[in-house]
Amino acid sequence: MQRGYVYDIKIMQKIALILLFIGFALGVFAQTTPKYSNEFLAIGVEARGLGLGGSMTALSDDVSAAYWNPAGLLRIKNKYQAAATHNQYFGGIASYNYAGFAAKMDTANCLAFTVIRMGVDGIPNTLNLRNPDGSFNFDNVSSFSEASYAFMFSYAGYNKWIPRLRTGVNVKVLHRNAGQFANAWGFGIDLGGQYDFKKWTLGFMARDITTTFNAWNYNIEAIRATFSQTGQKIPNNTIELTLPRLLVDATVPLNFKEISLKPSIGIECTFDGKRNTLIQSNLVSADLRAGLEVGYKDLVFLRTGYGNFQQVRDINRQISTTGQLSFGVGLHINRFIIDYALTNFGSTNSGLTSHVISLKADFR
């Protein structure tokens, strides 16, 4: 057995042990922390990744890697790359916008900046609908937005101690608001890596590795009267915690003359209690996902992905396991890349199917 092969095996064993230790420690800590925090950052950005079912931790190699795995930023081919996506959910009620820009400083360093916004706009504010005499005054009805923002500053570089290991880090600043009623500021850090082992690439991403904190501030005066009349508890300013999330993927590219295949399979683990996923426990919940990208001459791409497993109870109270199937296509024209994804295809909730279009541009 070659010395380099043995060295790679030992490196992969060390990485696996570190990931298992992190997962165990986070699972123990999660027992006292509520779940489903900052879930807008778990949806995914950009049509390529969504078409692959989110199996992008090892595959990410463009500007969107700042979200999927910042270590992949080093694989951008040109010096600069920008991307933008607009998507709508729940029949157009909620909008999801993404914009990213990456700049390679040299062959071993890359910087990126990402902005994400998910919000519901035009929500009617009817708190002042009734006059003091009990009559209605529709002129007093206004509107507000409920929105969540993420500003991500990313850096990627090669690890000087472990050859073939790319590492990346995200520093996230979060802002969430519900009109004039409440707002929050948060801060968190993501850590990612990609390790090349022969023809394989192993990707791992630890989101919110330090636990992300959102400090909520409520406008008590704006809601005191209504909450008191309806018997609701007036909220207090508080800290919302987002526990880490661990993603591990593996991929091996296959080339056949002008045809390229990039299959990917991975697992996503959460440590904030039992979730409706494929693997459930009070300590950790895990979901599998897989994706396949087929390219022709690096010009046209076909994609599919499967994941987001859930247990669903039908009208006869029988439980079955369902997943989310996605499809996508991509077209590379000169310095521009247009990607399209059709998500949640053929599921029992087919009415929630989403069409996603993304545009990327390379600059020298």
Side-chain angles (χ1 to χ4, degrees), residues 122-136:
I123 303 173
N125 178 7
T126 60
L127 291 180
N128 299 317
L129 176 60
R130 280 181 177 271
N131 291 321
D133 59 1
S135 60
F136 292 95

Side-chain angles (χ1 to χ4, degrees), residues 46-48 82 84 299-303 328-341 356-361:
E46 211 255 335
R48 182 195 179 199
L299 296 176
V300 181
F301 303 90
L302 298 178
R303 307 180 181 105
V329 296
L331 184 61
H332 195 165
I333 305 174
N334 296 325
R335 299 183 184 180
F336 296 93
I337 302 175
I338 302 174
D339 294 313
Y340 166 79
V356 186
I357 299 177
S358 300
L359 176 65
K360 287 195 293 283

Side-chain angles (χ1 to χ4, degrees), residues 276 309-314 317-323 348:
N276 187 13
F309 292 93
Q310 293 188 0
Q311 293 185 355
V312 179
R313 191 186 302 270
D314 60 20
R317 303 189 64 80
Q318 298 295 319
I319 297 178
S320 61
T321 301
T322 65
T348 55

Side-chain angles (χ1 to χ4, degrees), residues 151-191:
F151 307 93
M152 303 170 60
F153 305 86
S154 307
Y155 168 77
Y158 281 97
N159 189 284
K160 63 175 67 176
W161 296 285
I162 304 177
R164 298 181 295 280
L165 176 62
R166 297 178 292 275
T167 56
V169 61
N170 289 334
V171 176
K172 301 184 296 187
V173 178
L174 307 179
H175 178 60
R176 299 172 62 187
N177 70 77
Q180 71 271 32
F181 306 108
N183 68 84
W185 286 95
F187 176 82
I189 294 177
D190 303 333
L191 181 64

Side-chain angles (χ1 to χ4, degrees), residues 67-278:
Y67 169 85
W68 298 109
N69 185 350
L73 291 169
L74 289 174
R75 301 164 70 183
I76 296 177
K77 297 179 181 179
N78 289 292
K79 186 174 179 60
Y80 306 106
Q81 191 175 70
T85 300
H86 173 72
N87 190 19
Q88 293 185 336
Y89 291 96
F90 310 113
I93 296 176
S95 62
Y96 193 101
N97 297 292
Y98 153 78
F101 177 79
K104 294 190 69 172
M105 311 309 293
D106 49 45
T107 57
N109 298 276
C110 185
L111 299 175
F113 177 68
T114 303
V115 179
I116 299 173
R117 180 191 186 271
M118 184 175 186
V120 178
D121 301 308
I123 303 173
N125 178 7
T126 60
L127 291 180
N128 299 317
L129 176 60
R130 280 181 177 271
N131 291 321
D133 59 1
S135 60
F136 292 95
N137 186 351
F138 290 94
D139 292 334
N140 291 335
V141 177
S142 58
S143 62
F144 66 95
S145 298
E146 193 286 324
S148 299
Y149 299 84
F151 307 93
M152 303 170 60
F153 305 86
S154 307
Y155 168 77
Y158 281 97
N159 189 284
K160 63 175 67 176
W161 296 285
I162 304 177
R164 298 181 295 280
L165 176 62
R166 297 178 292 275
T167 56
V169 61
N170 289 334
V171 176
K172 301 184 296 187
V173 178
L174 307 179
H175 178 60
R176 299 172 62 187
N177 70 77
Q180 71 271 32
F181 306 108
N183 68 84
W185 286 95
F187 176 82
I189 294 177
D190 303 333
L191 181 64
Q194 289 180 340
Y195 183 73
D196 296 326
F197 174 68
K198 293 186 176 295
K199 293 184 179 181
W200 289 80
T201 296
L202 173 67
F204 57 91
M205 176 69 166
R207 292 181 180 161
D208 306 299
I209 188 66
T210 57
T211 301
T212 296
F213 299 84
N214 286 341
W216 279 96
N217 179 47
Y218 297 96
N219 185 356
I220 304 301
E221 297 304 320
I223 61 177
R224 185 187 302 277
T226 302
F227 274 45
S228 298
Q229 293 173 5
T230 56
Q232 300 183 57
K233 182 180 178 181
I234 298 177
N236 296 319
N237 297 339
T238 185
I239 300 293
E240 177 188 2
L241 302 179
T242 305
L243 287 183
R245 181 188 301 252
L246 181 62
L247 302 92
V248 181
D249 286 6
T251 182
V252 54
L254 304 172
N255 297 305
F256 304 93
K257 294 184 178 180
E258 297 176 342
I259 304 295
S260 63
L261 301 178
K262 292 182 179 179
S264 178
I265 186 170
I267 186 171
E268 178 177 356
C269 301
T270 55
F271 307 92
D272 51 8
K274 182 180 290 187
R275 292 190 175 210
N276 187 13
T277 54
L278 188 63

